[in-house]
Amino acid sequence: ARLDLAQFMYQFPLGVFAIALATAIFPKLAGEATGDLNKVGANDEFRRVLRRGIEASLFIGLPASAGMMLVALPAARLLFQHGKFTATDAEWVALSTALYASAIWAFSLLQIINRAYYALHDAATPLKWVAINLLLNLVIEIPLIFTPLRESGMAVGTLVSFAIQSIAMLWILNHRTGGIGLCRIAPNVTKMLIATALMAGACFAAIHSPIYPASSGK
C-alpha cells in the first residue's frame, strides 16, 4: 500500500505534463517521419520536432524530479498521515517517492522517444526494451527488498531500469536516424541542469533553515 501511494505521487507530474506533451507531439512526428531518414537533408522537420520534444520533456522532467524529491516527506505527511497511517508509514512513502521521482526525467523522455519509434512504424524496439526493463527491474529489486530499503528497493529498480532504457533508446534512435542533432540542444539542456541545481539548492537551504517549521521541530 505504501508503494502504491508513492507511485501515485510521482505519476502526478508525469501524467499532467509528460504524457500530455507526448500525446500532443505524436501527430506531428508521425506526419514528418517519411522517406529515408539516413539521407542527408531528409526528414529535417522530424528531427527538429523530436529535438523540441526532448527539450520540452527535460524542461519539465528535470525540475519535477528535483522538486518531488524535496517535497516527498512533507507531501506524504500532509496527504496520507492520519488514522492508522503513522509517521513511520509517511517516511517510507516519502523514501519510495523520492527514489521514483529521481527518474521522472527518464519517464518523461521515454514518452517522447517511444512516440518517435511509433512514428517510424517501429513497435518492436519499444517492446523489446519493455522486456529488458522488466529483467533489469527483477535483477535489481529482488536483492534490495531484503535489505533495510525493504519495499523502497523496488523504487530503486525502477529508477535504474528506466534511466538505462531512456538513454539506450535515445542512443539507438540517434544512430538509426543518422543523427538527431543532439549537440544542438546540449546548451539548453545544460542550462536546465544548472537551473534545476540552483532551484534544488535554494529549496534545500530554505527547508533546513531555522525559520522553517520542520527544521525547528514544530
Side-chain angles (χ1 to χ4, degrees), residues 152-187:
S152 295
M154 299 183 70
V156 176
T158 301
L159 156 64
V160 174
S161 61
F162 274 92
I164 292 173
Q165 181 181 352
S166 62
I167 294 172
M169 289 185 69
L170 180 60
W171 182 85
I172 294 169
L173 185 62
N174 185 60
H175 179 73
R176 175 178 171 178
T177 58
I180 298 171
L182 295 178
C183 59
R184 298 185 184 182
I185 65 174

Side-chain angles (χ1 to χ4, degrees), residues 125-196:
T125 301
L127 181 60
K128 290 175 184 176
W129 272 98
V130 168
I132 295 171
N133 188 304
L134 179 60
L135 180 61
L136 284 171
N137 261 291
L138 292 174
V139 170
I140 297 168
E141 290 173 4
I142 291 176
L144 288 178
I145 60 176
F146 297 103
T147 70
L149 282 173
R150 296 166 65 179
E151 78 262 17
S152 295
M154 299 183 70
V156 176
T158 301
L159 156 64
V160 174
S161 61
F162 274 92
I164 292 173
Q165 181 181 352
S166 62
I167 294 172
M169 289 185 69
L170 180 60
W171 182 85
I172 294 169
L173 185 62
N174 185 60
H175 179 73
R176 175 178 171 178
T177 58
I180 298 171
L182 295 178
C183 59
R184 298 185 184 182
I185 65 174
N188 287 340
V189 174
T190 301
K191 293 176 184 176
M192 293 177 203
L193 289 168
I194 294 172
T196 299

